[in-house]
Amino acid sequence: MALKAKVLYDFHSENPGEISIAENEVVTLFSEEELEGWLEGENSRGEAGLFPASYVEIIRDHITSNNNGFSLTQTKVQTSYTSSQPHRGFGADSSSFHTSQDSDDDWDDEWDDSSPVANVPQGLGSSPPLHPVATSLPGRGSSQQQQAKSSATVGRNLNRFSTFVKSGGEAFLLGEASAFVKDGDRICVVMGKHGPEWQEDPYPFTCTIDDPTKQTKFKGMKSYMSYGLTPTHTNVQVNRRYKHFDWLYGRLVERFPVISVPHLPEKQATGRFEEDFLSKRRKGLIWWMNHMTSHPVLAHCDVFQHFLTCGADEKAWKQGKRKAERDELVGANFFLTISPPAVPLDLQEVESKIEGFKTFTKKMDENIVVVNTSINEFGRKQISGFKKEYQKVGQSFKLLAQAFELDQQVYSVGLNKAISYTGEAYEAIGEYFADQPRQDLDLISDLLDIYKGHLANFPDIIHVQKGALTKVKDCPKKEGELHDRCNIISFATLAEIQHFHRTRVRDFRSQMQYHLRQQISFFQKITAKLEDALQRYDDDQ
Amino acid sequence: MALKAKVLYDFHSENPGEISIAENEVVTLFSEEELEGWLEGENSRGEAGLFPASYVEIIRDHITSNNNGFSLTQTKVQTSYTSSQPHRGFGADSSSFHTSQDSDDDWDDEWDDSSPVANVPQGLGSSPPLHPVATSLPGRGSSQQQQAKSSATVGRNLNRFSTFVKSGGEAFLLGEASAFVKDGDRICVVMGKHGPEWQEDPYPFTCTIDDPTKQTKFKGMKSYMSYGLTPTHTNVQVNRRYKHFDWLYGRLVERFPVISVPHLPEKQATGRFEEDFLSKRRKGLIWWMNHMTSHPVLAHCDVFQHFLTCGADEKAWKQGKRKAERDELVGANFFLTISPPAVPLDLQEVESKIEGFKTFTKKMDENIVVVNTSINEFGRKQISGFKKEYQKVGQSFKLLAQAFELDQQVYSVGLNKAISYTGEAYEAIGEYFADQPRQDLDLISDLLDIYKGHLANFPDIIHVQKGALTKVKDCPKKEGELHDRCNIISFATLAEIQHFHRTRVRDFRSQMQYHLRQQISFFQKITAKLEDALQRYDDDQ
């Protein structure tokens, strides 16, 4: 018996493989199983192809339900947007937390274990969008996250509409979001000199990350690495493991639909510094932390504050953890917390701004791939080729000195020593070249990594805003309220874009300055070595 | 009818292919034609192989003559040592001069023509020894000279005895040299702090070489390059072509058996700077000139002075040229001009000194090959790889700036420009790297070339001294005079070795200093460029 579904909203196909479907039309499904938010089926005109799963409602006897099979496990707080947000992972993950919450063992696994906690979806942060709905894709979330993180992403997102739906953007726009928002949860967007921006953080702080230390549990049976974090606003160190970061990351992604949560550094080290994996990860975490603490919204959200300030008391930790997992101001409800400026936005202008930003991110994503390739290759060449060349010259100078030493003329002794020292200087310079990339090039590479993560986040953020805009254009009937809510989404998106540009300019400026300063002192070190060698020739003049 | 020869001196075979022959023995010759100073034949014990041509006298009816066929063209001044020095090329070349002297057309050929004048033998300066006896190897001298110049040579000389003979060393030792030596021709060896040395030049001078200019003859039909030389002791510029240098070189080699005449730079440019061939040759000629003017003996010899001071008067030039070509103080007679110090030499000590020097030259020759290879490879890498890497990084920074320019945020403009400038700075640094080798590495390479030439000269010089020493040991009967003459040869050899060490220490010290200073200013230039780039980041802070 053919499975049918009723179409809830108009969908206009824009890509090959998609089909257009109209509100109230009944379509035939080829399978009930979604593929990354899409269903395959045939419309009433006999066209077969893909359409967003959330745009239709499967027709089953007399029960109208969503198609992800989680309705039974979902709690009251979710009902307000469950039907229009089947893929935000919240249901799936909260249910898995609920079943495992009594035995909190997963927290004791090795830090790089792939525990269920680590399987929180990256949601907005990953593309092509992954939403590990436990029933359809059990256990694949984690590895797919890694995959998504390490590949170039901007411009590849074909899943335009499901993101809008998943993020809660659509539910909010359609007035389906409802939650109690305390004053403390309110997030202000203000009009700045350069357009909408997040209200400046009145209590800015930073947080240091110490070198990880090895910790053991169960009388040494289990060991893990722990990072000491000291936020400046408490000045109290807390210890966190990588999995804690990972859990926090999952919460943040779920919580903030149009905020670019910086990606965590890779779980697995690749490339040439495998041996300093921990040091490299620490640097990555420092970047991550800087981006967190410098974001006015992220820096002060409850879950991050809990992560930064909760001490060794396990009970308090678990309490905060559960509270965060039950936070109702996620997804659609996040938009309820936003206080936009009083000025209305010109949506046409917003659209062109967003288009411009899209072009920008695409170009930046492409070009930082080139930069990364160049500097990695440059680093590799310095470590191998440059070093080898300087050392070969150094060795040959030493050979020359050795030949000269065979002559017993006393007036040659000073020269022989000087040439030999010159050889050593060249060998040392070879070492300088080999050491240098980790002093500067690697840091640029780390910076590019964090920005690659942001750039991978933005297509989804843009899609949320675009989805809202399209909706407003499509349905003129509720213009007033819909318009206001679209305004809120647009303000939040523009504020986030503004924040991105500000941190980008700040980060690239300071990193390039740092890089140049490092290069200058590198070449000065070489010069000093050569000057030292030159002096040896004066010894017996 | 088998050709016979009478053995004049004992010869003990030391290498495969040679046979031992004893004084007064009669040997059978397979051919009258010499091969590089050797004849092939059978001794009285039936052994067949090579022996030095000069150790035997061919038996022809009643006429005793040398076997090179030049006796008819030889002049009176040569008779005293003709029989024992059949290969010094003098006869061959002087005869060719004699036949062409009336039409001095060869001087008007293009500078790199292979004219007969240019075919003077390198004699001691080349190894395996070449002595273009016109009858046996017509026209091959020049190309063989080139070959000999460009290959590693020390330790490959198998032609031990013929060198001793060729040089006139043997003739002198046996008391066969005789010529009138004017006071002005006298060359003093004195005992210095570090052993025997050439008496210091009381009138030292230097000589500059200007960039070559193109000259034409026969109303523009012929063109050639001319170098302006200005010696400091006359301060009058004379113009010389490469072929004049080449002619001079031939005269000097013939004139001074135990002095290392610096090799002229290659006639043909090879390698990567083919386009600046003339500039490279000029540098080579400057090195050559410096070695000439700083050698107490070479600097003041008549033929060199004629070369340096004779003006545009063609008649005067030809007169001096012919005088030089008829100079009788060549070869064996050269030793007559030497005034040794009064102190006798301990021949055992001399032998060990010479042995030490031999080991030294061998090692130096081997190791400068390594140095040359390394620095040439290093130069090549800087021109290609280093430049490419810096430029790739520069280009990628510029791409980053281009992506950033797509963002219209005013606060990004300064950064964009700074990053773009940094990109340009890296591209410039790439160019600096590519330009640098010709500023310093190439000069070391030029220096090594001149020393490679000296090292190629020394085996023959050493063989002359060793030949004399062996002779003295072999024939104790004439001990007194033989001993004195051996002393003279030893003094001259040791003085030349001393001179070699002094100029080596001087040249390598100054070249290494120059190299390091160049490198220091190279890295300072890079540092300045980076500092310039760094400043751009402050513009709009």
Side-chain angles (χ1 to χ4, degrees), chain B residues 282-352:
Chain B
R282 181 176 155 253
K283 283 183 208 154
L285 287 176
I286 290 171
W287 273 119
W288 183 86
M289 186 59 83
N290 287 344
H291 270 244
M292 286 298 298
T293 56
S294 67
H295 195 293
V297 178
L298 294 177
H300 290 279
C301 77
D302 289 347
V303 61
F304 185 49
Q305 286 299 323
H306 174 60
F307 174 86
L308 286 182
T309 58
C310 184
D313 177 356
E314 258 194 58
K315 209 173 161 191
W317 171 260
K318 281 183 193 170
Q319 230 164 13
K321 182 168 162 281
R322 280 180 208 136
K323 185 174 166 243
E325 284 157 5
R326 289 190 189 124
D327 186 359
E328 66 168 329
L329 294 176
V330 300
N333 290 359
F334 160 74
F335 294 108
L336 297 175
T337 65
I338 292 177
S339 300
V343 280
L345 282 171
D346 177 338
L347 288 190
Q348 200 118 35
E349 201 183 299
V350 172
E351 197 170 10
S352 110

Side-chain angles (χ1 to χ4, degrees), chain A residues 100-113:
Chain A
S100 68
Q101 70 191 24
D102 292 324
S103 70
D104 206 27
D105 278 356
D106 48 348
W107 288 101
D108 303 326
D109 298 343
E110 238 298 47
W111 53 262
D112 53 359
D113 277 356

Side-chain angles (χ1 to χ4, degrees), chain A residues 289-331:
Chain A
M289 186 59 85
N290 286 344
H291 271 243
M292 286 299 297
T293 56
S294 67
H295 195 292
V297 179
L298 294 176
H300 289 279
C301 77
D302 289 348
V303 62
F304 185 48
Q305 285 299 323
H306 174 62
F307 174 86
L308 286 182
T309 58
C310 184
D313 179 355
E314 257 194 59
K315 211 174 159 190
W317 172 259
K318 280 184 193 170
Q319 232 168 10
K321 180 166 164 284
R322 280 178 209 139
K323 185 172 164 249
E325 283 157 3
R326 288 188 190 127
D327 186 359
E328 66 168 332
L329 294 176
V330 301

Side-chain angles (χ1 to χ4, degrees), chain B residues 136-177:
Chain B
S136 59
L137 300 164
R140 282 180 56 200
S142 182
S143 70
Q144 286 187 341
Q145 278 172 34
Q146 294 301 324
Q147 245 183 328
K149 260 197 215 176
S150 58
S151 60
T153 48
V154 175
R156 293 203 202 146
N157 193 316
L158 297 170
N159 204 356
R160 295 161 296 123
F161 289 87
S162 64
T163 302
F164 177 46
V165 177
K166 278 191 306 161
S167 68
E170 185 184 57
F172 169 72
L173 196 77
L174 300 177
E176 290 166 6

